[in-house]
Amino acid sequence: MSHLNRRDWLKVAAVAPAALVAFPRTVFAAPSADDVKAVVDKALKFFKTAQKENGSFGTPRSGEPGLTALIVSALVKNGVSAEDPTIAKGLKYLESKIQKDGGVYDQGLSNYMTSLAIMTFKEANAGGKYDKVIESAGKYVKSLQFAEGLTEKDANFGGAGYDKPGGRARPDMSNTHFMVEALLASGVSKDDPSIKRALVYISRSQNLASDEFNNLPFAKKAGEADKGGFVYNLSDADNPKSPKLTAEGGLRSEGGMTYAGLKSFLYAGVGKDDKRVQAAVNWVRQHYTVTENPGQKDSGLYYYYHTFAKAMDALGEDEFVDAKGTKHDWRQELFDELKKRQKENGSWANSNGAFLENLPELATAFAVLSISYCKKK
């Protein structure tokens, strides 16, 4: 039986209500192309008014050139042409931030910025225009990994932070997942040592006690609600004042980080039968939602949406079954939630200002990027 999109299904139901009995709910596999285009077109209009003359977006504190990279990538992934003035100006701005060391950044946050730029140049790489830029940027990102002078016994080994290792710098799950995605986008093999090292750190960020993958104390203290999920920063375990600590003495699993970890495993070639992947999927089944960021509520909500979308897309289950046995057409559910939250001017913004998501340019970038994964493949 061929799948119908929601619009077609409603047309059928309107003229033949009895047909509802004959068709299973799996017809709601994804929003229609027209529905997606309407929402993205509204967002594009917002971005056209928000873009500065030099092609950038936002305020000095919103993180450039990373924000521009996110926006351009999100729009291109949704079918906006590279010839569109907003895209062209954004790419030109990104090109102006390419440094002699291969990185794409301005002041600080060089791993985060360059990783996002790699993914953007990859999306816009018509005719190999950015081949050399992507290659150089990939080499630069590799140089930022916590590896030199460390052994696998070091908790930081294989991770990535905002900038180069050294001083007070420390890796975290968010920067590490961006690094992995960027390196793979740059053409690095899944078998490359940098990816293998990253998997060591990512595995240690999972609430899954294991002599093989994670023997850190916090994982052994994980409660039932946290097992299988991922944490943001391993050093929180050593901070008695950290709000991430649980009553059991472990670290709370978070939605955005769990989907980032699951996505990283799948992107890097870890099989679905691997116990780390199975544990992460089990956590997702218990905490499935598109209305909040599990473990953080509305904090980092739009960041959560984009890791949720990427991970669910990589998992490849059109209909996802949660722990209660409820079936979810996740693409349609995510799209409906985002569409409901879109403002009249085409933007999104989080009422919670954590992680700067109260800035409409940033929240809208994550929202549009999320929508690109809602389309049926």
Side-chain angles (χ1 to χ4, degrees), residues 41-345:
D41 282 351
K42 285 181 65 177
L44 178 57
K45 288 181 180 179
F46 163 73
F47 283 133
K48 287 183 180 296
T49 63
Q51 190 173 33
K52 297 179 180 179
E53 188 59 35
N54 69 350
S56 68
F57 293 87
T59 65
R61 71 189 187 100
S62 60
E64 284 289 24
L67 179 55
T68 296
L70 267 177
I71 292 170
V72 172
S73 178
L75 291 173
V76 173
K77 284 181 70 66
N78 276 288
V80 179
S81 170
E83 303 302 318
D84 183 276
T86 301
I87 303 298
K89 287 174 63 177
L91 287 171
K92 185 175 181 181
Y93 170 75
L94 289 176
E95 291 170 12
S96 74
K97 297 301 177 180
I98 298 173
Q99 306 297 326
K100 293 181 179 180
D101 56 17
V104 186
Y105 58 90
D106 194 352
Q107 297 179 356
L109 308 181
S110 59
N111 173 59
Y112 175 70
M113 302 295 175
T114 305
S115 292
L116 293 177
I118 287 173
M119 291 181 269
T120 302
F121 286 133
K122 180 73 172 181
E123 290 294 334
N125 195 28
K129 178 180 180 180
Y130 294 115
D131 280 353
K132 292 183 179 180
V133 170
I134 293 171
E135 181 182 2
S136 296
K139 290 179 180 178
Y140 176 74
V141 169
K142 269 191 179 185
S143 74
L144 304 181
Q145 188 174 36
F146 281 69
E148 187 176 351
L150 302 178
T151 69
E152 286 195 25
K153 293 182 179 180
D154 192 299
N156 291 333
F157 179 83
Y162 283 108
D163 283 304
K164 293 182 178 180
R168 296 183 179 181
R170 52 91 181 136
D172 60 66
M173 185 60 217
S174 180
N175 278 293
T176 302
H177 97 84
F178 278 125
M179 175 192 71
V180 169
E181 187 173 350
L183 289 178
L184 293 172
S186 73
V188 170
S189 166
K190 294 177 182 179
D191 295 322
D192 190 89
S194 63
I195 301 299
K196 297 300 184 183
R197 289 192 294 263
L199 288 176
V200 172
Y201 180 84
I202 291 168
S203 297
R204 285 196 177 123
S205 299
Q206 187 176 23
N207 265 317
L208 184 64
S210 165
D211 290 336
E212 182 180 4
F213 298 114
N214 188 5
N215 61 1
L216 296 180
F218 81 87
K220 299 175 183 178
K221 300 175 183 178
E224 288 302 315
D226 294 304
K227 287 182 179 179
F230 286 73
V231 305
Y232 168 63
N233 179 8
L234 298 180
S235 64
D236 280 324
D238 300 319
N239 178 9
K241 296 182 179 180
S242 173
K244 307 295 178 101
L245 289 173
T246 66
E248 297 88 355
L251 291 177
R252 184 176 69 249
S253 292
E254 300 173 358
M257 294 301 96
T258 300
Y259 284 102
L262 175 58
K263 178 211 72 167
S264 298
F265 281 150
L266 296 172
Y267 279 21
V270 178
K272 294 181 183 180
D273 59 345
D274 187 281
K275 63 182 180 181
R276 293 167 293 176
V277 173
Q278 291 181 343
V281 172
N282 183 59
W283 187 95
V284 170
R285 294 196 193 284
Q286 296 181 53
H287 299 86
Y288 177 95
T289 180
V290 294
T291 61
E292 68 175 25
N293 179 1
Q296 292 185 286
K297 296 184 179 180
D298 61 349
S299 178
L301 180 62
Y302 289 94
Y303 179 104
Y304 165 74
Y305 285 142
H306 106 275
T307 60
F308 169 97
K310 287 180 177 179
M312 294 296 281
D313 180 69
L315 189 61
E317 297 181 15
D318 289 337
E319 188 174 67
F320 187 79
V321 182
D322 67 22
K324 296 179 180 179
T326 303
K327 298 177 180 180
H328 298 275
D329 294 315
W330 67 267
R331 289 185 176 89
Q332 188 70 59
E333 291 179 4
L334 176 59
F335 177 79
D336 287 346
E337 185 67 22
L338 287 168
K339 182 178 180 180
K340 180 176 68 176
R341 292 174 179 270
Q342 189 175 28
K343 299 182 183 300
E344 283 298 317
N345 70 347

